[in-house]
């Protein structure tokens, strides 16, 4: 990763984490609050939040102005991402004991509290955006993009398809796998980008190009996730590796092999970077982030 991107990520991750730590307070249940804070503040790359910020700033010519008005949106998105990880780790889902290098929330507390902490993060994530100071007309569009990314056409559907495949172990095609990845992971990444673009007042041409960027980095991100499950180092990745093979998950390496999967991810990143070259935005950091997506170790 370049120094510029590294500094950008570190500085803004700190901003996001401090903000979440400040606002995630007060619940009628101390235990619930503790589990929610554990789930959302226990590490993580903050990729979705950073995509909102990076896109907003790229469209706005790197302006530092108005970052504060984005923070509730970024935090809301990160709450919802964290809740998806908490639920994903539960025994009835992917059944993983570790997340972000620490015991999964249901291991640190118990399954019931983890379930409730996830539910509450989802509710509070939406509430954060609902109570933000965005203009009403923008706010409604932001909420719609978010809900579309996680509901019956998004993450929940993707997770259901994933579980269905694993249970039935039917033979599958790359197209079917792309549909699962698209719903489970990619739409959330695309819509985080679109949310940043929308708040920045991007033109329809810019939004379209950024959407193509998101689709490409999103799929490359998920393919890299599949590759890291085979080649990653557990202590850097922060979660159990080899789960996909153990559970006979449908993945890119399973369908194409490791080398072809890496090649595909690389091609997607080239396409992603090309798509945002000529749309009159400050695209350098978004381009660098695209490279980081496939070179990351965690
Ligand atoms: C949204 C209501 C609602 C329910 C969630 C459990 C579930 C339903 C969905 C699971 C979705 C899931 C876990 C997708 C995997 C996405 C993925 C690759 C996560 C890892 O993301 P990173 O690497 O994580 O950005 P960090 O830890 O860096 O934040």
């Amino acid at each position: 990763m370049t120094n510029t991107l590294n500094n950008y990520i570190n500085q803004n991750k700190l901003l996001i984490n401090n903000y979440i730590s400040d606002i995630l307070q007060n619940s009628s249940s101390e235990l619930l609050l503790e589990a929610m804070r554990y789930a959302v503040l226990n590490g993580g790359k903050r990729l979705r939040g950073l995509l909102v910020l990076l896109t907003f700033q790229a469209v706005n010519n790197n302006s530092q102005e108005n970052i504060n008005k984005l923070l509730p949106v970024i935090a809301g998105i990160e709450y919802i991402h964290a809740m998806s990880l908490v639920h994903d780790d539960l025994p009835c889902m992917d059944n993983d004991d570790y997340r972000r290098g620490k015991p999964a929330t249901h291991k640190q507390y118990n399954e019931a509290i983890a379930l409730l902490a996830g539910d509450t993060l989802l509710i509070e994530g939406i509430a954060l955006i609902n109570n933000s100071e965005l203009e009403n007309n923008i706010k409604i569009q932001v909420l719609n993009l978010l809900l579309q990314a996680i509901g019956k056409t998004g993450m929940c559907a993707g997770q259901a398809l994933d579980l269905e495949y694993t249970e039935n172990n039917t033979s599958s095609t790359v197209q079917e796998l792309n549909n699962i990845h698209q719903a489970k992971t990619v739409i959330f990444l695309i819509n985080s980008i679109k949310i940043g673009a929308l708040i920045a007042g991007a033109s329809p041409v810019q939004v379209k190009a950024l959407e193509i960027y998101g689709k490409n980095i999103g799929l490359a991100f998920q393919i890299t996730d599949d590759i890291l499950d085979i080649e990653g180092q557990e202590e850097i990745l922060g979660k159990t590796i080899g789960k996909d093979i153990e559970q006979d998950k449908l993945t890119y390496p399973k369908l194409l092999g490791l080398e072809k999967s890496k090649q595909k991810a690389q091609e997607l990143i080239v396409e992603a970077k090309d798509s945002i070259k000529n749309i009159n935005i400050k695209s350098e950091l978004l381009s660098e982030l695209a490279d980081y997506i496939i070179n990351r170790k965690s």
Side-chain angles (χ1 to χ4, degrees):
M1 192 191 315
T2 62
N3 272 345
T4 330
L5 184 64
N6 195 26
N7 291 342
Y8 182 92
I9 290 180
N10 289 338
Q11 194 182 327
N12 287 297
K13 254 171 70 171
L14 192 65
L15 192 73
I16 297 168
N17 291 342
N18 287 342
Y19 178 76
I20 294 177
S21 184
D22 283 350
I23 57 162
L24 189 48
Q25 305 282 352
N26 300 326
S27 161
S28 306
S29 161
E30 272 307 313
L31 182 60
L32 179 67
L33 179 67
E34 203 191 293
M36 287 166 74
R37 288 180 65 89
Y38 181 82
V40 75
L41 288 166
N42 65 345
K45 294 183 288 296
R46 304 284 180 232
L47 179 61
R48 292 145 193 83
L50 288 167
L51 279 170
V52 174
L53 191 57
L54 271 166
T55 308
F56 174 85
Q57 292 186 318
V59 173
N60 266 344
N61 229 345
N62 276 359
S63 149
Q64 289 296 311
E65 227 181 295
N66 291 333
I67 286 191
N68 285 350
K69 87 173 176 193
L70 286 182
L71 281 171
V73 176
I74 290 173
I77 286 175
E78 287 294 330
Y79 279 20
I80 294 170
H81 167 59
M83 77 72 55
S84 77
L85 303 181
V86 172
H87 283 195
D88 189 53
D89 291 336
L90 287 170
C92 62
M93 296 266 184
D94 264 11
N95 191 17
D96 210 321
D97 290 353
Y98 291 98
R99 175 65 70 177
R100 295 170 167 173
K102 303 191 181 78
T105 308
H106 69 278
K107 283 282 161 188
Q108 182 72 10
Y109 298 91
N110 59 52
E111 280 179 38
I113 283 295
L115 192 68
L116 287 168
D119 291 343
T120 319
L121 280 170
L122 174 61
I123 293 163
E124 295 301 329
I126 293 170
L128 259 181
I129 300 174
N130 191 43
N131 296 328
S132 71
E133 283 171 12
L134 292 177
E135 258 172 60
N136 278 346
N137 136 49
I138 302 284
K139 191 188 289 181
I140 290 169
Q141 294 181 64
V142 168
L143 283 169
N144 276 330
L145 282 168
L146 186 57
L147 296 173
Q148 181 206 32
I150 62 177
K152 67 183 166 62
T153 52
M155 202 194 279
C156 285
Q159 180 77 344
L161 285 172
D162 190 338
L163 293 170
E164 225 177 287
Y165 171 83
T166 310
E167 204 149 287
N168 301 334
N169 201 359
T170 41
S171 64
S172 239
T173 60
V174 170
Q175 188 51 51
E176 282 166 308
L177 176 58
N178 282 347
N179 291 341
I180 299 178
H181 284 345
Q182 171 75 13
K184 190 172 130 176
T185 319
V186 181
I187 300 183
F188 199 14
L189 295 167
I190 295 179
N191 285 10
S192 300
I193 291 168
K194 284 173 89 172
I195 286 170
L198 173 71
I199 301 174
S203 70
V205 170
Q206 289 172 328
V207 174
K208 188 78 219 145
L210 286 160
E211 192 172 348
I212 297 170
Y213 166 87
K215 201 173 162 72
N216 286 304
I217 62 157
L219 187 55
F221 175 83
Q222 186 59 61
I223 296 175
T224 306
D225 215 65
D226 294 349
I227 294 169
L228 286 171
D229 190 73
I230 299 171
E231 287 194 328
Q233 281 177 271
E234 214 154 81
E235 54 289 4
I236 302 179
L237 203 55
K239 60 179 186 181
T240 320
I241 64 159
K243 295 279 296 185
D244 291 345
I245 291 175
E246 185 193 307
Q247 298 179 343
D248 200 21
K249 288 262 177 204
L250 181 60
T251 65
Y252 257 84
K254 175 173 167 154
L255 290 182
L256 297 185
L258 267 173
E259 281 322 303
K260 285 221 167 92
S261 302
K262 286 181 189 171
Q263 205 180 319
K264 174 74 185 167
Q266 184 64 55
E267 286 164 13
L268 290 164
I269 291 307
V270 171
E271 251 181 81
K273 294 199 287 190
D274 276 353
S275 68
I276 52 167
K277 262 186 190 150
N278 298 313
I279 53 165
N280 198 21
I281 64 168
K282 266 214 148 292
S283 60
E284 292 83 356
L285 283 178
L286 283 171
S287 279
E288 288 179 20
L289 187 81
D291 289 325
Y292 162 69
I293 294 275
I294 53 168
N295 295 325
R296 70 200 166 95
K297 302 283 175 246
S298 74

